[in-house]
Amino acid sequence: MCVHIVHKYFLNLQQKLYETYSMALNQTNKLVWIVETIYNAGKITFGDLNRKWMDNEDLSGGEELLKRTFHKWRYNILDTFGLNIECEKGGRYRYYIANANDIRNDSIENWLLSTYSVSNSLMGSKSIKDRIILEDVPSGREYLDSIIDAMKKNRLIHIMYYNYWRGDSREHYVMPLCVKFFHQRWYMVGRSWATGYTNVFCLDRIEDFRLSSHSFEYPKDFDPREFFDGCFGVIANAGTKIEHVVLKVSAGQANYLRDLPMYGNQKEERHDEYSIFTLDIRPTFDFQQEILWNGENMEVLKPYWLRKEIAGKVKRMWNKYKGDKE
């Protein structure tokens, strides 16, 4: 009898937790919908917003959006995404996002909004889930939450880390300073407690993690954006200076670089059959790999040393294949 009561209690608790989670997710979905609708419209009256809301029966349930609810959600959107929804002082009294530029940069607010937006689409697409193919992110599950928690508390961490180049695992006692997402992987910048040396660790190479009982003072000389200034990815080599790089790209491939720039300060000069892209960047190993990934559609014009470096890599690649016979 007691076992039956305990079992029933936990079933009820599980159901309540699920309902609470579902309600919170549904509420977030509504906030994302408000932001996306206003952002896509540029400016929109409450009447037009309400009509669009009514048309989306999955969210609205066919019920009108009350104005007091909308104003409450405006404050929730500011707290959650850092986006300020304002109203025109005259005319049609349309609503707009006052700091819409924040959605266009690499801020955490933009990341959250994009993530929730995609989640909205996927949650409403379970009936066709076999037709939606996603890419696995191998390193974000096991240790990301623990590292972010350690960052919040400024707590040192012990990690056992496997190094590809050395081919061995070693223990590191580090201050977790920041995390960065690049090419489907999460990375952590950690500063060694013993040596003060700052290194970048890929989360999917962490074999063991322990939170230390000791705390640290966040170093005043470290700024994440300065640390990665001029970096294409996660190789933050201070010995590689920022240089003016000029690339000649075929017209077809230029379309991809135009839509998804290689780096934030990228500029383009368009011609009929090609484009000239210029950017100020540190030409580290990962950037050189990106150039090679574009193959014959991309040519380095400047600096000359980088052109020779890429030519040397291409030649060594060719030497591996030139002796093949059909």
Side-chain angles (χ1 to χ4, degrees), residues 37 80 87 141 150 175 199 239:
T37 303
T80 305
C87 183
R141 299 190 184 102
M175 300 177 276
N199 208 344

Side-chain angles (χ1 to χ4, degrees), residues 191-202:
R191 179 170 292 181
S192 170
W193 177 254
T195 66
Y197 181 73
T198 303
N199 208 344
V200 180
F201 302 89
C202 184

Side-chain angles (χ1 to χ4, degrees), residues 153-186:
K153 298 174 181 177
N154 281 342
R155 295 272 289 277
L156 286 149
I157 60 174
H158 298 267
I159 60 172
M160 182 64 69
Y161 187 75
Y162 182 78
N163 187 292
Y164 282 159
W165 300 104
R166 289 196 307 264
D168 62 7
S169 300
R170 298 183 184 182
E171 187 172 5
H172 299 265
Y173 187 47
V174 298
M175 300 177 276
L177 301 180
C178 73
V179 292
K180 182 177 181 178
F181 190 64
F182 176 69
H183 279 187
Q184 298 302 111
R185 280 179 164 81
W186 281 101

Side-chain angles (χ1 to χ4, degrees), residues 51-205:
R51 278 187 285 275
K52 290 180 179 290
W53 169 258
M54 292 285 289
D55 289 340
N56 191 330
E57 295 188 3
D58 289 339
L59 283 179
S60 68
E63 297 182 0
E64 289 192 10
L65 176 61
L66 300 178
K67 212 161 192 177
R68 64 174 179 270
T69 301
F70 170 65
H71 289 310
K72 178 183 176 182
W73 288 355
R74 286 173 61 193
Y75 295 116
N76 290 342
I77 287 168
L78 181 61
D79 288 339
T80 305
F81 303 113
L83 299 174
N84 187 17
I85 298 176
E86 295 284 358
C87 183
E88 291 178 322
K89 300 302 181 182
R92 299 175 60 190
Y93 294 98
R94 295 174 299 177
Y95 289 92
Y96 63 97
I97 301 176
N99 56 335
N101 285 336
D102 290 349
I103 300 178
R104 303 187 185 100
N105 60 29
D106 59 350
S107 65
I108 191 172
E109 292 83 6
N110 182 38
W111 174 270
L112 288 172
L113 183 62
S114 299
T115 302
Y116 280 124
S117 178
V118 172
S119 297
N120 270 354
S121 298
L122 295 179
M123 287 292 290
S125 307
K126 290 183 178 180
S127 62
I128 56 168
K129 63 180 181 180
D130 294 336
R131 293 159 60 186
I132 300 175
I133 302 173
L134 303 175
E135 188 173 357
D136 184 36
V137 180
S139 60
R141 299 190 184 102
E142 191 170 359
Y143 299 117
L144 181 61
D145 286 345
S146 298
I147 289 173
I148 289 177
D149 184 58
M151 287 167 56
K152 290 178 182 177
K153 298 174 181 177
N154 281 342
R155 295 272 289 277
L156 286 149
I157 60 174
H158 298 267
I159 60 172
M160 182 64 69
Y161 187 75
Y162 182 78
N163 187 292
Y164 282 159
W165 300 104
R166 289 196 307 264
D168 62 7
S169 300
R170 298 183 184 182
E171 187 172 5
H172 299 265
Y173 187 47
V174 298
M175 300 177 276
L177 301 180
C178 73
V179 292
K180 182 177 181 178
F181 190 64
F182 176 69
H183 279 187
Q184 298 302 111
R185 280 179 164 81
W186 281 101
Y187 295 83
M188 175 194 70
V189 178
R191 179 170 292 181
S192 170
W193 177 254
T195 66
Y197 181 73
T198 303
N199 208 344
V200 180
F201 302 89
C202 184
L203 267 60
D204 61 0
R205 280 178 252 159

Side-chain angles (χ1 to χ4, degrees), residues 228-232 260-267 279-281:
F228 287 111
D229 181 41
C231 299
F232 171 73
L260 187 61
M262 297 180 73
Y263 195 65
N265 58 30
Q266 172 181 298
K267 296 179 181 179
L279 52 159
D280 296 317
I281 198 169

